[in-house]
Amino acid sequence: MAERDELLASIAATTADYREADGEAPTPERIERWIGQFDAAVRLPILREMDHVLKQTYFSRANTRKFLAGLFKTEKLVGEDPCAFWRSVKFLDIQGGGASQKEMLALFSVLLEKKCGFKIEDCGANPDTFIYLDDAIFSGGRVSSDLAGWIETHAPKKATIHVIVIATHQSSYFNRNRVGQAIKASGKSIDVHWWRSVELEDRKAHTTTSDVLRPVAIPDDEDVKAYVAAMRFPPHLRTAGHVGGSGIFSSDAGRQLLETEFLKAGVRIRQMCPHLNQYQRPLGNMILDTLGFGSLIVTFRNCPNNAPLALWAGDPWVPLFPRTTNSDTSMRRFMAMLAQEDF
């Protein structure tokens, strides 16, 4: 088998359960259409690097189940009687956008029923401890907004909140601090604890050793140069020679390839997809006027908009990971799939 075919098959195998309930898994044929949008000279190198990267950053349903199974019995959180702890807490379903929280709660509810004989909706009759469960925290804006609103309107005068995710980015501390500010403003006594399995570096002060896409130079591309010239401030570039502390990239050369080619593709996509808003930067959604967030995390349930546009944007660009929004049809398919789960 030719290397190209091997890579197409390997990427497809790694991501085989991506939105499978909606029929959106990246087959070799879809991956072929996606990579065909890049210049011929870089197609094979991009496939090589993406094959390596996705093995580090793709969270499959099996990996998510493993995370939740470990969470269920984490003694530092639940003590010696996991079922008693989970029965006593209240699970928050307050996410203001998207379906990630609902789907993570649905997954954990399956586990609770099998391990303890009750579901999430049976928990927390008279709670003083609350659980905010999600898959990942990127900028932290979503979770801080959700919790700030809940603290102001619905939280009791005294409570403990555990925010639990698979992965988080370190720059989210800025928005996480807003939760503390909301607590202070409310006059309530609320303790917040943050739990994660993976923590990725993306802070500006640590750009060189970060785990996200941060270009070392602006490519010699007229469209990219024009995009950068229109930015309010010059982009903060990375110093070459580092792959980041989490080992996401195979080499600095492989990292630079993705940074350069995804930036070029992202600028093109912004030109061809007029429905994108101003915050959907070439390397991923970000409120600040930068080249983009640059995350490469993808879960089996969705691709975040903090990832480069080259991975998820569509119409007319062919995405590798088509994104979904919360819909009744998608949730019904997801719940039907959960009926087959076996923790």
Side-chain angles (χ1 to χ4, degrees):
M1 182 184 293
E3 182 186 9
R4 185 187 183 96
D5 293 334
E6 290 177 350
L7 290 169
L8 294 174
S10 179
I11 293 171
T14 298
T15 60
D17 63 356
Y18 179 76
R19 288 188 58 199
E20 62 180 336
D22 296 318
E24 296 289 5
T27 61
E29 293 75 22
R30 171 175 285 169
I31 302 168
E32 181 73 73
R33 293 196 300 274
W34 173 74
I35 198 63
Q37 299 167 115
F38 295 89
D39 293 339
V42 298
R43 291 172 189 169
L44 189 59
I46 289 175
L47 288 175
R48 289 184 187 128
E49 189 63 17
M50 285 301 294
D51 183 47
H52 175 88
V53 165
L54 287 170
K55 286 181 169 64
Q56 326 306 316
T57 63
Y58 182 78
F59 291 97
S60 66
R61 191 167 70 255
N63 287 338
T64 302
R65 289 202 309 266
K66 183 177 179 180
F67 165 78
L68 293 175
L71 169 66
F72 170 81
K73 59 184 180 181
T74 298
E75 187 171 353
K76 189 176 179 181
L77 172 66
V78 305
E80 297 181 353
D81 189 342
C83 290
F85 172 82
W86 294 115
R87 186 67 182 251
S88 69
V89 303
K90 177 72 174 178
F91 290 86
L92 298 176
D93 185 3
I94 58 173
Q95 193 172 62
S100 59
Q101 184 164 81
K102 289 184 181 297
E103 294 177 3
M104 288 292 286
L105 290 174
L107 269 173
F108 198 62
S109 189
V110 171
L111 184 150
L112 284 181
E113 188 171 19
K114 293 188 176 184
K115 295 286 188 181
C116 303
F118 54 80
K119 300 180 180 180
I120 276 178
E121 53 263 35
D122 301 318
C123 300
N126 297 292
D128 57 14
T129 300
F130 298 82
I131 305 293
Y132 183 102
L133 179 65
D134 205 356
D135 54 3
I137 295 176
F138 294 91
S139 68
R142 176 76 276 150
V143 61
S144 64
S145 177
D146 292 341
L147 287 177
W150 178 79
I151 287 165
E152 179 182 0
T153 57
H154 298 296
K157 293 187 179 299
K158 186 175 182 178
T160 298
I161 306 171
H162 294 286
V163 181
I164 304 170
V165 296
I166 302 172
T168 186
H169 287 74
Q170 290 199 20
S171 69
S172 63
Y173 77 90
F174 176 81
N175 275 311
R176 295 204 308 260
N177 286 341
R178 290 175 54 205
V179 177
Q181 295 168 2
I183 293 171
K184 185 177 181 180
S186 73
K188 298 176 181 179
S189 177
I190 299 177
D191 294 324
V192 183
H193 303 275
W194 304 84
W195 302 77
R196 82 284 184 208
S197 178
V198 177
E199 188 168 47
L200 301 177
E201 180 61 78
D202 70 315
R203 290 171 294 179
K204 183 178 179 180
H206 300 267
T207 294
T208 296
T209 55
S210 63
D211 299 305
V212 292
L213 298 180
R214 297 283 189 270
V216 302
I218 301 304
D220 186 16
D221 179 279
E222 293 305 316
D223 290 335
V224 175
K225 289 179 180 178
Y227 182 88
V228 170
M231 292 172 57
R232 184 177 179 185
F233 301 107
H236 187 73
L237 301 176
R238 180 175 67 86
T239 300
H242 299 269
V243 297
S246 297
I248 288 175
F249 306 99
S250 68
S251 65
D252 186 52
R255 178 179 184 171
Q256 288 192 45
L257 173 72
L258 296 188
E259 288 167 338
T260 297
E261 297 305 321
F262 285 1
L263 175 56
K264 290 162 59 177
V267 171
R268 286 171 48 211
I269 291 166
R270 283 204 55 85
Q271 294 172 340
M272 68 173 66
C273 299
H275 59 279
L276 295 172
N277 68 50
Q278 62 176 320
Y279 303 123
Q280 289 167 338
R281 318 290 182 185
L283 292 179
N285 198 80
M286 196 168 190
I287 292 177
L288 298 177
D289 189 7
T290 69
L291 297 177
F293 194 92
S295 178
L296 289 170
I297 289 178
V298 180
T299 75
F300 77 95
R301 51 158 304 278
N302 212 3
C303 179
N305 65 6
N306 301 88
L309 296 180
L311 295 184
W312 60 265
D315 190 22
W317 181 262
V318 177
L320 180 59
F321 298 109
R323 274 174 50 76
T324 185
T325 55
N326 190 9
S327 70
D328 291 340
T329 300
S330 182
M331 279 300 296
R332 283 196 297 269
R333 290 172 179 164
F334 185 78
M335 294 304 294
M337 179 185 68
L338 288 190
Q340 308 303 316
E341 294 295 332
D342 183 18
F343 282 91

